[in-house]
Each structure stands twice: as C-alpha cells, then as structure tokens.
Amino acid sequence: MNDEGPSSRRLRWLYMASLILAGDSIYLLVYMRQSFQTSMHEVFEISYTQLGIMNSMYGLLAITAYFAGGWLSDRVATRTLLSFSLFATGLGGYYMATIPSYPMLLALHAFWGVSTILTFWAALVKATRLWGGSDDQGRTFGILDAGRGLVGAVMMTAGAWVFSRSALAADGLVDVILLYATASMAAGLCVLAFIPPDHAHGSLTHSDNSNAPAGQLRVVARMPAVWLQALIILMAYWLYLGSFEFATFAEKVFDQDKVFGASLSAFREWLRPVSAIAAGFLADRIRASRAVSIAFITSAVGYGALALIPGRADLLWMLWIQISAVAIAVFALRGIYFALMEESKIPLLVTGTAVGLVSTIGFTADVFAYPMVGWFLDNYGPATGYQYYFSILAGASVFGLFLTLTLGWQNQRGKPREQ
C-alpha cells in the first residue's frame, strides 16, 4: 500500500474510522445497564431479575445468529448489512426512549439480537479483514479493538455528562438513550459514505463447494484446542460482563449517586484501549496462553477482593484499585483470547468455522449472566448478592486459568510432532 497517494490513504483511514465508530456505537444501547442499571430499574419500573431476563433475551437471539450471520455476510454486500444494522438499531433506540412496557422491551432486545449480530458482526469482521493486507491482520484487528474502546470511552463519558445535566433520572435516561441512538444512526451514515462496495476489495469466498461448511465443521469439532478455547472465552466473557456491575455496586453498596456510577463506568471504559494494546504486545513476547493466564490470575484476585471489601465510604480508594485491576484484566483477555488460535495452530482454512463455533459457545454468558446477578440482587440484597456473585466470578477466573494452562501444556506437547 506504499504506492497509495494521500487521497487514497485518507479514504482508507476514513474506512477504518467508520468501522471503529460502527463497531462500538451499535452496542451502546444494548449494554446500557453497565452505567445506568439502577436508573433503568427505576424508570422502566422493572426488577433486577426482569432487567437480567431482558438482556438474556438479547443473548439468546445473538447466540443463534453467529453462524447464520457468517453465511449472510458472504451473500449480501458488507456496506448494506452494516448500514442496515446501524440504522435499525438506532431506530430501536428512539422507540426505547418512549419508555415502553416490559414485554415490548423484551421484544426490542430480541430485535437487537438480530440487528447487532445476524446482520452486523460477521460483516464487521469481513470488512475489517478486507481493509488489512494478508500480512498485517493482527495489527488490523488490534486497531479496530483499540479504536472501539476509545469510542466507547468517549460515548460513555458523554452519556455520564448528559445524564448529570437532568434533575430527574427519567429525563436524564431518555437523553442518554437518544444520544446513543443518534450515534448509531450517525455511524450508519459514515458507513454509507466511506465504505466502498465489496467488489472493490475482492472477495473472501474462494470455493464453490457447497459441502465445505459442513466438512469444515466436522474438522473443527475434532480439535480439542477449539473446545478448550471456547470454554476459555466463555469464562473471559463472563468476567467481562461481570464488570458491568461496577456502577450498581458502587451505588448500592458504597452509597454513591448515579452520576458517580456512570463516571465509574466511563473510567473503566478508558482502560480498554490501553489494556488491549499492552496485552497484545505482551502476548507476542511471552505467548498468548501465558498472557491470558496472567490476566485470569489478576481477575481472580480482583474479584475476590471485591467480594470481601466492606461497603464503606472511607474505602472508596480500595474500590477504585480493585475495579481498575479487574477492568485491565478483562480487557486484556478480550484483546488477546482469539490469538490463542494461532498458538494452537488452528489451520487457516477452517479459521472462520472455528471462530463461529467458539463464539457460539463463548458468548453464551449473555444468556445466563444477567438473570443470575439479577436473582442474587433481588433475593439477597446488593451487599450480600454482590458478595456471592463476585465470589463466583473469582472462581470462574480460577477455572479459566486451569483451562488456559491445560491448553498451553497441550500446545507445547504438540510441538515435537509438528516439527
């Protein structure tokens, strides 16, 4: 790409900037609970369990959409899929701002499971792969994830500021919903403006064999490393979702206000780009499995400390330290857990199928994590409920460490045979 002129380079980076904006803006509405859970609980007049079921409905639709989304992304133009997804998600946000009933919120989150996964996720990955060259895919996806983290931090900071401007929680929440919905719509316009048609960059389809997907799935299903990685990602993603509870934890257990909770979530998000990039460099130096193991150990210590820390105002400094440690760990995990595929020598020919299988299993935490924490809060209260839940997450960190050590041992054992 060194022969590109300034204009071509500018358009190329506008292409990536559009993907970055789209890749995070579309999920702001779906994951609002990480900053505004208590406000949603009050404004929508629903219990924490119902709030968890609402997000679980999204997770159920999303899990069923990963494989189908990959099939769809090879048959419909990437720009069309991305722009449709962003506009549809944004329109759903405008409807959410009318404060609909609980059944309609369930339907809305099911709809978002389609618009943010079926017609979006695989298309985003495809567009990113087309942007990068064959020898710089790691850097390409690193830029995407770090950029998404930066966009998320900016938008969550803006959301916290918008929320703080309103005297009533209901007004503030509606303003935040409108902000996030408009961000999704704006990202859709950027996609239409700066992402060219697929044929301008070639195709990812290299075979007309209609039986290839089934054959590749059989090959992937026979690989123990794939199943280990699926479980590792399941643990890592569950730990990441657990970090969404930090705002509510600070509000309910440490008796802080909603603005503090939203600001805490924004601070957590600012750690994402730095953590992902640093973890990537570390993984290149010491192997991905070792870096993942370090992140699991950090997460276990952090969640264990959060389960034990008393909810006293004079211990807020400890809360910041533990939340920072957990956030760095979970964002590091998200940044590098797919790098385990290269270490495990998953054949390039079946990479897409492997990612689909791993994602389907690994992201099932969207289905059970929210109802679980909602049940703990409703039945035991915030202080005891979070003590139990964070203890479980500390145990999940230890199990993730065991899985990672097993995978690393298996990879090392397989080296002599490969050589």
Side-chain angles (χ1 to χ4, degrees):
M1 308 242 175
N2 295 329
D3 57 344
E4 291 181 347
S7 178
S8 297
R9 287 195 295 271
R10 183 165 55 252
L11 290 174
R12 173 173 160 78
W13 283 103
L14 286 171
Y15 177 128
M16 174 52 78
S18 299
L19 294 182
I20 289 171
L21 183 61
D24 203 80
S25 297
I26 198 169
Y27 294 111
L28 292 170
L29 290 162
V30 175
Y31 295 113
M32 276 191 65
R33 68 175 292 160
Q34 63 181 302
S35 298
F36 303 101
Q37 181 171 212
T38 57
S39 297
M40 294 174 70
H41 165 68
E42 296 172 7
V43 174
F44 289 107
E45 298 181 349
I46 55 179
S47 69
Y48 289 111
T49 301
Q50 287 177 316
L51 185 59
I53 293 173
M54 191 169 73
N55 289 110
S56 182
M57 176 65 74
Y58 167 79
L60 283 171
L61 268 294
I63 290 301
T64 60
Y66 280 109
F67 274 119
W71 178 88
L72 189 66
S73 68
D74 285 335
R75 287 158 179 79
V76 180
T78 301
R79 182 170 63 178
T80 301
L81 288 173
L82 293 176
S83 57
F84 166 79
S85 300
L86 290 157
F87 290 140
T89 302
L91 289 174
Y94 290 135
Y95 174 69
M96 186 183 185
T98 65
I99 314 298
S101 64
Y102 176 64
M104 296 309 298
L105 285 172
L106 286 175
L108 178 61
H109 279 72
F111 169 74
W112 280 338
V114 174
S115 69
T116 66
I117 301 297
L118 178 65
T119 59
F120 183 80
W121 180 248
L124 176 69
V125 174
K126 178 179 178 181
T128 305
R129 183 177 178 186
L130 289 172
W131 184 85
S134 59
D135 57 349
D136 62 356
Q137 290 291 299
R139 180 176 67 90
T140 297
F141 282 97
I143 291 172
L144 177 71
D145 194 65
R148 288 178 64 195
L150 185 61
V151 170
V154 170
M155 291 305 302
M156 291 180 69
T157 302
W161 179 81
V162 167
F163 184 81
S164 68
R165 303 280 294 177
S166 299
L168 299 176
D171 293 339
L173 188 65
V174 168
D175 289 343
V176 173
I177 293 171
L178 292 175
L179 172 67
Y180 289 172
T182 302
S184 185
M185 301 290 280
L189 292 175
C190 290
V191 166
L192 288 177
F194 300 119
I195 294 184
D198 290 359
H199 62 75
H201 292 271
S203 172
L204 297 183
T205 303
H206 301 291
S207 173
D208 295 326
N209 185 357
S210 60
N211 293 323
Q216 289 179 351
L217 181 58
R218 285 194 295 270
V219 171
V220 167
R222 295 191 184 106
M223 297 179 181
V226 170
W227 296 102
L228 281 170
Q229 288 174 54
L231 293 175
I232 289 169
I233 291 178
L234 174 59
M235 295 300 108
Y237 189 62
W238 186 10
L239 300 176
Y240 165 70
L241 295 182
S243 71
F244 286 12
E245 302 300 321
F246 292 164
T248 305
F249 181 61
E251 294 170 28
K252 294 296 186 180
V253 178
F254 283 82
D255 198 27
Q256 300 299 302
D257 60 25
K258 294 179 174 61
V259 175
F260 179 91
S263 300
L264 185 65
S265 292
F267 165 77
R268 161 191 163 277
E269 196 69 18
W270 278 105
L271 295 173
R272 178 178 173 183
V274 177
S275 303
I277 292 175
F281 279 108
L282 182 63
D284 287 340
R285 292 180 64 87
I286 67 171
R287 289 209 320 264
S289 59
R290 288 180 178 175
V292 169
S293 296
I294 292 172
F296 274 128
I297 292 171
T298 305
S299 176
V301 173
Y303 273 122
L306 286 173
L308 297 174
I309 184 173
R312 302 203 316 258
D314 62 318
L315 295 178
L316 274 176
W317 63 274
M318 288 186 63
L319 177 68
W320 282 101
I321 291 174
Q322 300 307 326
I323 283 178
S324 298
V326 172
I328 290 171
V330 298
F331 287 135
L333 287 168
R334 280 176 59 83
I336 61 175
Y337 50 39
F338 276 113
L340 292 169
M341 288 195 168
E342 180 65 25
E343 181 181 323
S344 300
K345 305 300 180 185
I346 302 298
L348 291 175
L349 181 64
V350 295
T351 298
T353 305
V355 170
L357 178 60
V358 165
S359 297
T360 301
I361 296 172
F363 297 140
T364 52
D366 270 326
V367 177
F368 66 81
Y370 303 115
M372 180 185 293
V373 68
W375 184 85
F376 277 123
L377 294 179
D378 287 336
N379 287 275
Y380 294 99
T384 304
Y386 276 126
Q387 185 179 39
Y388 289 159
Y389 189 60
F390 289 153
S391 297
I392 292 173
L393 291 178
S397 302
V398 173
F399 185 54
L401 173 63
F402 167 75
L403 293 168
T404 307
L405 293 175
T406 301
L407 179 65
W409 172 78
Q410 183 184 80
N411 291 339
Q412 289 297 103
R413 189 184 64 170
K415 279 189 175 182
R417 291 198 300 270
E418 293 169 6
Q419 294 168 353

